[in-house]
Amino acid sequence: MFEFIKAHQLNIMLALSAACVSFAILLFFTQFLERRKKTALILMEFVATFLLFFDREAYIYSGDLSRTGYIMVRVSNFFVFFLTAMVVLIFNLYLMELFDIDPRTKRTPKRLVLVSVAAILEMIMVIITQFTGLYYYIDENNRYVRGKGFLLCYVVPILCPLIQYTVVRQYKKKVSRLIYTSLALYIFVPIAMGIIQIFAYGISIVNMAMVLVSISLYIFTYLDINATVMRAHDIEMQGVREEQKSMQRLFDQTAKAFVKAVEKKDVYSEGHSERVAELAVKIARLCEKDNDECNRIYYSALLHDVGKIGIPDSIIGKNGALTDAEYEIVKNKPLIGSEILSSITEYPYLEQAAHYSSERYDGSGYPEGLKGEQIPEAARIVAVADAYDVMTTKRPFMAPLPPSLAKEEIIKSSGSMFDPKFAKVIASLIDDEMSRLDPEDDREVEREFKCKAYREFVTMGIQVPERVLTITFDFEPTGKRKDFCEPAMVLFDSYDRLIHINDRSIKAFHYSEYGEIWFDGHSVTTEARKIEMKVLPEDEDNVKPVKDPATGKTTYRILAARYGDHMKIRTEGPTHIVESTVALPSVAKAAYIGLTGENCHVSNITIEKSERHITENDIKRIANEISYIDRLESDLPNVQINRPRSAYTKSVILKDRLIMDFHSMSLPSANLVWHCPYVVLFASSDNTVSGEDYHEFAVIRLNGENDLSGDNEHAENRFSMKKTERFTNWEDWKELNKQGMECSIEIVKRGSRIVFTSETLGISIENTTILKNPSETVCVALTGDQVALTDIRVIM
């Protein structure tokens, strides 16, 4: 290594000198260093450059007996020794600038003062050496020769940097790790090389090392500046982000405050815009919109209704249908809204959503009658979200629809009012919401009520499950002695679990009243097929409750349970213990108990459910089971599905091609568009529904829905539904389904690709299922909701 350096050291010196002077020039253009610090660094780079330059010249002219050689040897060696001491002195000044030490104050560490004095004395000693030969002398051959005091010249280059390092350690926390590393290198590398230099004659490794660490000092300083700038940039960007967040919060709060002010015009609209905005964002996310687009859709939905501020209060709060003239005024709402929002020029999408949110997909909307994708996408999303919230929120002229009925209305309006794509997405959201609802949840059931007239008040329905339901309450008569004072219960089914008495709400909520039961053994039968009552004699198993003399209240008890289309109710009152058996119109219908009474105060209503499930033997049948499948059977047994997917046909293994023809008839209790046949593509270890390792690839409803559309764990589905000329409207579709219809489906499998096609009463479906594991055995089964499937033929 030393031989290589010795052989090429002149070239190495030249290259290092050029590099050092280049970095010195670059320092002139550095903008982020303090002037005094930059000056010190530039001096250090130039001194190191000249040090190496003169060292090189000394080697070049060594032994040259010409006049030029005579002068250059002496001048070069002088500057090599002189500039070595000067490097130490300038480094001392750099440390003072770096650590913000003012030499004019008494705060300057004495160690640095000592180093400065030593460096100056060293330079004086170099001058003296020219006359005494203390450090070196030039012989008669014009060559450099070490003098008797040669080792003394290493005191300053070696000991002074060590003293400087103690100061660096003291002020270490004032500089970054990068700068500290560069200072340590600058101090210790030349020292190490100086020690080696004592024993390696003829090689200027100390001076070359000095230039290298000077270059490293520049590089580390530049890296430190870059890191500082980046930190400052990050802090600035963090400030910008915080400011943006602050502006976003301000915009959000301002928008919501404005919306609340608008909604004060209509008490029934309070919270409507925020609910629509939240639902619109859910739709957008399911459509894989990015965060920015989701934000745009959120605020578009939040502010879509601001035009309401220009509609007269008399129209907004009207309890009843609008006249034609009033409706024309309401149609100005999107125009007013877009005019208001047009002043927010930074967010033009707000004005667009307000302007077009009343357009209809088929072109029958207003104000411009746009059709299909001519309507901005955000407005199409807002339209379906707005409609759902309107339908499921209480209005002055309409009770809120339950999610299932709102979903049906959206499905029926898909392609006419709403974009089919977004109608499908919101339908899946509603399905998800309904799947989380517990039909037996009784938290909203009132715990106390008063009735003067009979059925003046009826509690929310308490669902009777296929387990033992226990209801207890305290009863207190409020009428006169001669008045009839008794509690009672109403047996019914309704989508909103409430009693309805007018024709419109009865139809809207598919209300069915089975009958009324009193605790004295009387009953009224309405839509139940039959009610049988038996008064039990009082014995040790049948003890009647008695009035509490302290409170004047009597605790009544109801025990109820259901199996299939039969329900058993036991009532315990102070005068009678009665067992009632109720034959429901259909196993598909729910059964609720609503508490009511006459001239009474009912309090402390408690509801409990046992864990034991009821079996067929627990309830005696009083009416025959109603069957709609007593028809011709073909390749597969007939099946009646009374509740969502409560029964399935025998499965068929799909090989290459499968055609299934069958007769379908929705049950009399059916009233929703998805009360129809479903086709399930699945796999399991024994090829049966719900067998071990059961998993589904697709669930296709013949009304045009796919429960597993999109990508899932086992398959990817690409679903499309079209209405052909045979389709008239959904009410006709449901009616024809009730009358009975012939259905045909075709399924073709090619490798991992399965194509399903069908057309039922004008609903044309094509679904492509791509299996993620093509080797799995795929099975097909029919199921549905409130439908009877008969005469099932299989062609393979």
Side-chain angles (χ1 to χ4, degrees), residues 393-431:
T393 306
K394 182 176 175 59
R395 298 281 159 172
F397 53 88
M398 184 181 71
L401 291 181
S404 57
L405 291 182
K407 176 193 169 184
E408 183 188 43
E409 291 301 319
I410 288 171
I411 290 173
K412 286 160 67 173
S413 299
S414 174
S416 55
M417 285 185 67
F418 310 123
D419 185 331
K421 174 184 176 181
F422 301 127
K424 177 182 174 182
V425 172
I426 198 171
S428 69
L429 281 171
I430 298 168
D431 283 339

Side-chain angles (χ1 to χ4, degrees), residues 530-563:
K530 190 176 183 181
I531 297 179
E532 282 189 0
M533 306 186 74
K534 179 182 179 182
V535 178
L536 302 178
E538 186 171 14
D539 54 31
E540 60 182 13
D541 295 325
N542 301 304
V543 179
K544 299 173 185 176
V546 295
K547 181 188 294 187
D548 184 339
T551 63
K553 298 179 180 179
T554 306
T555 300
Y556 284 65
R557 189 166 77 143
I558 303 168
L559 290 89
R562 172 184 180 167
Y563 183 83

